């Protein structure tokens, strides 16, 4: 356990050097997503992941004397450098969107630098940012707690859980494409006060999310052991991963909804509602871990059950507040009027609560 802690500390010390660049990447991708430049976001992510993979190999391994052989620390440095490379590529992407690679302007309008000095807009920005920050801190707390609990079951179980979390990360990445599209389209619908378009966007997104869940679940069920064999040559870790593989097989049917609803609420700039859902979800996770792991003694199965209950609680808590998304797209004078009754999909997608 001490070895694991020392390796983690060394990785974090190296990885944190790339924090400013990682934050800049979030800002760049936020702008690109808001402008519906999904292809540019894809390019930036490809550059980020490709450079990270290449640098990890070169910095972490010896490669017959051609690598730096830094081990875990090298992986941290690789991530930091990859974020810097991706930031530069992202800024170039923004420049290409605005001016084009030939230097000719492609977008109308201008940069509104005066917004930086508008107290009202800055207040709204920091209010939105602070609630999202609290949500992100709770998310990080849950992930750290999950890793800490897994480490308590031994290094083999910890390694197996980290591999399985990569499966979940792929589900997140696969769903994020639709969630990011939903963010931009929901934002447009809210800005145009177009409830019918909002509902159509939500309906299509839900269908695609279900398709993503089916595809990932089938892939993990049919090819999970083979994929794990590619990820590690440690037989003990592979056997341990196989023992808990069924959690990531059923997991997509639980997790995709929380990712997608996040997209709806981000698009409608309803950060407070997202924070509330994360508070409830984190509390559910802590109580579930205590109940299933500590009291009932379910071990790692109890930890994974708690993880997916956390995911389900996030989705349910946002679904309960779904009317807020519709209200954001509804003209204030019509929020309690006949407008919503003219949208036939409303009852099917956003069934209103009975008062």
């Amino acid at each position: 356990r001490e070895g694991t802690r020392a390796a983690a500390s060394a990785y974090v010390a190296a990885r944190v050097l790339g924090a400013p660049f990682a934050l800049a990447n979030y800002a760049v991708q936020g702008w690109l997503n808001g402008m519906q430049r999904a292809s540019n976001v894809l390019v930036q992510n490809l550059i980020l992941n490709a450079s990270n993979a290449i640098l990890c190999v070169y910095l972490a391994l010896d490669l017959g004397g051609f690598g730096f052989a830094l081990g875990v620390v090298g992986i941290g440095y690789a991530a930091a450098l990859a974020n810097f490379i991706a930031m530069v590529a992202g800024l170039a992407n923004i420049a290409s969107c605005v001016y084009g690679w030939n230097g000719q302007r492609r977008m109308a309008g201008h940069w509104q630098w005066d917004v930086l000095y508008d107290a009202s807009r800055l207040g709204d920005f920091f209010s939105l940012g602070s609630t999202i920050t609290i949500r992100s801190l709770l998310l990080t707390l849950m992930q750290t707690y999950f890793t800490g609990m897994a480490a308590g079951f031994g290094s083999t179980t910890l390694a197996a859980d980290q591999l399985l979390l990569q499966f979940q990360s792929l589900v997140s990445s696969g769903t994020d494409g639709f969630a990011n599209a939903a963010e931009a389209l929901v934002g447009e619908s809210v800005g145009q006060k177009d409830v019918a378009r909002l509902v159509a966007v939500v309906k299509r997104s839900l269908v695609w999310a279900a398709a993503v869940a089916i595809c990932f679940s089938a892939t993990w069920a049919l090819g999970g052991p083979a994929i794990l064999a590619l990820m590690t040559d440690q037989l003990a870790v592979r056997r341990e991963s196989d023992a808990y593989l069924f959690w990531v097989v059923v997991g997509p049917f639980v997790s995709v909804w929380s990712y997608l609803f996040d997209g709806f609420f981000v698009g409608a700039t309803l950060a407070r509602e997202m924070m509330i859902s994360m508070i409830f979800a984190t509390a559910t996770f802590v109580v579930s871990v205590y109940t299933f792991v500590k009291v009932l003694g379910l071990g790692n199965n109890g930890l994974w059950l708690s993880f997916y209950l956390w995911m389900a609680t996030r989705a349910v808590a946002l679904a309960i507040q779904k009317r807020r998304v519709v209200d954001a797209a509804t003209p204030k004078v019509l929020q309690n009027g006949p407008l919503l009754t003219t949208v036939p999909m409303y009852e099917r997608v956003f069934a209103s609560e009975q008062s």
Side-chain angles (χ1 to χ4, degrees), residues 25-46:
N25 282 328
Y26 290 135
V28 169
Q29 291 195 13
W31 188 89
L32 292 171
N33 279 319
M35 299 302 293
Q36 298 186 34
R37 298 282 181 167
S39 60
N40 296 86
V41 175
L42 174 61
V43 169
Q44 187 185 8
N45 280 325
L46 287 174

Side-chain angles (χ1 to χ4, degrees), residues 24 27 33 41-42 53 107 120 133-134 150 159 169 203-204 248 257 261 273 283 311-312 319 327 336 338 353:
N33 279 319
V41 175
L42 174 61
M107 282 187 175
S120 176
T133 299
I134 293 172
S169 178
K203 182 180 179 181
R204 293 192 187 100
V248 295
W257 313 114
F261 271 95
E273 287 75 7
M311 286 284 190
D327 286 346
N336 297 314
E353 293 82 8

